Amino acid sequence: MPYKPIESYGVIGDMHSVALVGKDGSIDWCCLPHFDSPSVFAAILDDKQGGSFSLAAAHGASRKQMYLPDTNVLLTRFLGAEGVGEVCDFMPIHRDTYGAYRRGMHQIVRVARAVRGEVRFRLACRPAIDFARRPHRVLLDDPRGAVFDSDGLDLALISPVPLLPDGAGGVVADFVLQPGETATFSLRQVEDWTANADLLSTPIDGDEALRRTVTFWRQWLGKSRYKGRWREMVDRSALVLKLLTFEPTGAIVAAATTSLPEEIGGVRNWDYRFVWVRDAAFTLYAFLRLGYTEEAARFMEWLSARVSEEDGPTGPLQLMYGVDGRHELPEIALIHLDGYRGSRPVRIGNGATEQLQLDIYGELIDSVYLFDKYGSPISYDFWREHRRMAYWVCENWDREDESIWEVRGGKRQFVYSKLQCWVALDRTLRLADKRSLPLDRQRVVRARDAIYEAIMTRGWDAARRTFVQSFGSQALDASNLLMSLMRFISPTDPRMLGTIDRTLAELASDTLVHRYELGKGAGDGLDGKEGTFSICTFWLVEALARSGRLEEARFIFEKMLTYANHLGLYSEQIGPSGELLGNFPQAFTHLGLVSAAFYLDRALDQGGLKAD
């Protein structure tokens, strides 16, 4: 099976994990039981041995995909002169399903349907458990289905049609449906199928599971308070962010995949299936803007558990965690896998866990400030931990770090890190004043003001009229576009306007924005190139809108919307031919879309500037 473009996939999920479904009806990525668990299907990382689960009409000159309106239920259609077939894919979400979760079971439901004419379907299910490292045996149980039995994780495929072994650790089936007929398949995951005697004997009621799942997603989306322009794209982004939320803890993963490359054939391939404090904090901000205070509250519970832990080498927080809050995420290269289109190495785990990234304190404390304002007032115990973080920032803000982009070329005095240290202390002061909370105010004020002066004197290039990436550097960095968004500087300050103009001149390709200048400054310690960074384009849109350049902002925003895939989904980056690059779908990009749309829509209604 040849590799498909990243943008050819849709995504389904149950807020524990997701599956990527191609336009050809093949599930080429799924990790079970959780986002950061080992894979059961990973053909997107190795088209020969990665494993896949295909269900498709044998004919069909044209293939289309769509979501059932206002849901994460995916419909793949196969259209041909002889007939039209459909496959409806979803991961059930309803109360009965949560009971199944407690028993350690997850499932993917696939419903094949003949819409017009007689339609021949072909099924091929070939798991490759634990990134094709763990062997399994196939046990056929005619007429109920098949079990894929491995050490520590079992899969059961419930099938209404006879299955045959394919001789390569999988099963296949060919069947014909008449117009209006359906066939429902369920792939269930358990730790031990022998302890679940009813696993194969209880076929799923596909219609009922679909109805409940559709109801769940529509009721959830119906709580959104966004009614402005681009509502369809904002709604889709909200649904993606919800999909990437780990329901048991409220944690939010950065993306659904690992090692999808930033350059085809390159080495910039990373595992994003974890909880970045930064990304999750920004996602909380997006949820609050949309009115989802419950999701924000769940994440605050997860966060409270992290900040109450003992300090580590990087201070009160590390920059990322597992979905269950674990700290150790060792980075391992899977040399037996080919990588997407030969992009090696395939990595699981992430070595950046050990990096010092000071900016996470600003993003986190800003989200706490916003939650206290728009969600629910924080407790005194949480305030004590918050205050402890702020005091730590007071003593450590002037350290070198790796900053937001996780460079592997050594620590520097990154301007963005200083900006977010300023945000951490500024929001701490605001929150303390608002709630009359106890704080060594003078200590925090002195540090906050020292950071401000350092950025303005050492992070500003007077000759080029722009803020730079790090103290003493001439390189640009798109993260500086956040200065006005973070209320560090007026959006119409000449320094901010100069930074916007220099970003457009030197970091933009047409209207798409690179995150920094490769090969300039001290470098990022990595070989190869990368695409434009999608959230940076949305930052540019919002910075332009806040500066009053609404027509320019709207044009760039509208143009950026055309780079989404056919379902409105984005990965991390966009390549030179408009192709999607990097892990997919990515929360960072979708939350950037929500924020930019929210502000731009309001600014257009008001015809100009208005501070938050």
Side-chain angles (χ1 to χ4, degrees), residues 505-522:
E506 298 189 25
L507 289 184
S509 173
D510 187 21
T511 57
L512 302 176
V513 180
H514 291 275
R515 54 182 172 171
Y516 50 77
E517 299 173 285
L518 290 175
K520 239 184 181 181

Side-chain angles (χ1 to χ4, degrees), residues 6-7 255 260-264 268-270 272 405 512-516 518 524 526 528-537 560 563-565 569-586 588-589:
I6 294 171
E7 59 266 23
L260 293 184
E262 299 172 11
E263 177 190 26
I264 302 301
R268 296 169 180 262
N269 317 316
W270 315 108
Y272 279 9
W405 305 129
L512 302 176
V513 180
H514 291 275
R515 54 182 172 171
Y516 50 77
L518 290 175
D524 61 10
L526 297 167
K529 300 178 181 179
E530 63 180 21
T532 57
F533 214 76
S534 295
I535 195 173
C536 296
T537 302
M560 184 61 186
Y563 287 99
N565 81 346
L569 305 178
Y570 289 91
S571 64
E572 181 180 46
Q573 300 183 18
I574 297 171
S577 300
E579 72 275 21
L580 297 187
L581 294 174
N583 287 307
F584 172 88
Q586 201 211 30
F588 221 23
T589 304

Side-chain angles (χ1 to χ4, degrees), residues 243-265:
L243 264 188
L244 296 177
T245 301
F246 186 57
E247 192 274 338
T249 66
I252 303 162
V253 299
T257 58
T258 180
S259 297
L260 293 184
E262 299 172 11
E263 177 190 26
I264 302 301

Side-chain angles (χ1 to χ4, degrees), residues 269-347:
N269 317 316
W270 315 108
D271 193 346
Y272 279 9
R273 301 171 299 144
F274 307 118
V275 187
W276 265 254
V277 170
R278 171 192 313 110
D279 299 45
F282 277 136
T283 302
L284 181 147
Y285 172 69
F287 277 143
L288 286 173
R289 284 211 150 179
L290 296 173
Y292 291 110
T293 55
E294 181 179 344
E295 281 69 21
R298 291 295 313 284
F299 175 67
M300 290 299 293
E301 292 174 5
W302 180 89
L303 178 62
S304 179
R306 305 288 79 74
V307 300
S308 63
E309 296 168 346
E310 292 185 4
D311 287 8
T314 58
L317 292 172
Q318 65 181 46
L319 72 99
M320 78 179 84
Y321 301 85
V323 294
D324 56 359
R326 71 186 185 280
H327 290 230
E328 301 298 325
L329 305 172
E331 185 172 298
I332 301 170
L334 302 180
I335 59 176
H336 67 288
L337 295 180
D338 181 51
Y340 177 78
R341 292 175 58 187
S343 303
R344 296 180 177 176
V346 171
R347 293 181 172 96

Side-chain angles (χ1 to χ4, degrees), residues 151-439:
D151 183 18
L153 184 145
D154 296 338
L155 299 171
L157 177 59
I158 318 305
S159 172
V161 301
L163 301 174
L164 298 174
D166 69 352
V171 296
V172 296
D174 291 285
F175 59 97
V176 175
L177 296 179
Q178 301 300 320
E181 287 186 338
T182 63
T184 299
F185 302 84
S186 174
L187 184 73
R188 298 173 175 174
Q189 173 270 320
V190 293
E191 293 179 0
D192 181 6
W193 73 276
T194 60
N196 291 265
D198 62 344
L199 191 62
L200 287 172
S201 62
T202 54
I204 189 170
D205 184 335
D207 291 339
E208 177 64 9
L210 177 61
R211 182 188 67 79
R212 292 191 180 190
T213 303
V214 166
T215 298
F216 170 86
W217 287 118
R218 288 179 177 167
Q219 288 181 346
W220 182 84
L221 189 61
K223 299 176 184 177
S224 172
R225 69 183 186 188
Y226 186 82
K227 309 301 179 186
R229 300 169 180 84
W230 316 292
R231 183 176 174 183
E232 184 175 354
M233 290 297 289
V234 171
D235 283 353
R236 178 51 52 196
S237 291
L239 286 164
V240 170
L241 295 176
K242 182 64 171 176
L243 264 188
L244 296 177
T245 301
F246 186 57
E247 192 274 338
T249 66
I252 303 162
V253 299
T257 58
T258 180
S259 297
L260 293 184
E262 299 172 11
E263 177 190 26
I264 302 301
V267 299
R268 296 169 180 262
N269 317 316
W270 315 108
D271 193 346
Y272 279 9
R273 301 171 299 144
F274 307 118
V275 187
W276 265 254
V277 170
R278 171 192 313 110
D279 299 45
F282 277 136
T283 302
L284 181 147
Y285 172 69
F287 277 143
L288 286 173
R289 284 211 150 179
L290 296 173
Y292 291 110
T293 55
E294 181 179 344
E295 281 69 21
R298 291 295 313 284
F299 175 67
M300 290 299 293
E301 292 174 5
W302 180 89
L303 178 62
S304 179
R306 305 288 79 74
V307 300
S308 63
E309 296 168 346
E310 292 185 4
D311 287 8
T314 58
L317 292 172
Q318 65 181 46
L319 72 99
M320 78 179 84
Y321 301 85
V323 294
D324 56 359
R326 71 186 185 280
H327 290 230
E328 301 298 325
L329 305 172
E331 185 172 298
I332 301 170
L334 302 180
I335 59 176
H336 67 288
L337 295 180
D338 181 51
Y340 177 78
R341 292 175 58 187
S343 303
R344 296 180 177 176
V346 171
R347 293 181 172 96
I348 57 174
N350 199 307
T353 308
E354 301 175 358
Q355 288 188 352
L356 175 65
Q357 296 185 16
L358 293 169
D359 65 286
I360 64 175
Y361 293 97
E363 291 132 355
L364 180 91
I365 289 177
D366 188 44
S367 71
V368 172
Y369 169 77
L370 293 170
F371 179 75
D372 184 90
K373 183 177 181 179
Y374 297 110
S376 177
I378 63 172
S379 68
Y380 172 68
D381 287 337
F382 191 90
W383 169 250
R384 291 176 61 193
E385 300 297 343
H386 178 133
R387 183 177 59 187
R388 182 172 66 89
M389 285 192 294
Y391 290 161
W392 187 90
V393 172
C394 288
E395 301 304 319
N396 291 274
W397 71 265
D398 58 349
R399 293 172 61 180
E400 294 184 333
D401 75 334
E402 283 91 356
S403 193
I404 182 174
W405 305 129
E406 296 167 10
V407 298
R408 300 197 176 192
K411 296 178 180 179
R412 278 172 273 166
Q413 296 281 4
F414 283 98
V415 170
Y416 180 76
S417 294
K418 310 308 178 193
L419 166 68
Q420 289 295 352
C421 286
W422 179 91
V423 170
L425 302 184
D426 177 76
R427 301 312 190 262
T428 297
L429 289 163
R430 289 173 185 256
L431 183 53
D433 289 347
K434 176 187 174 185
R435 296 275 310 281
S436 299
L437 295 167
L439 180 71

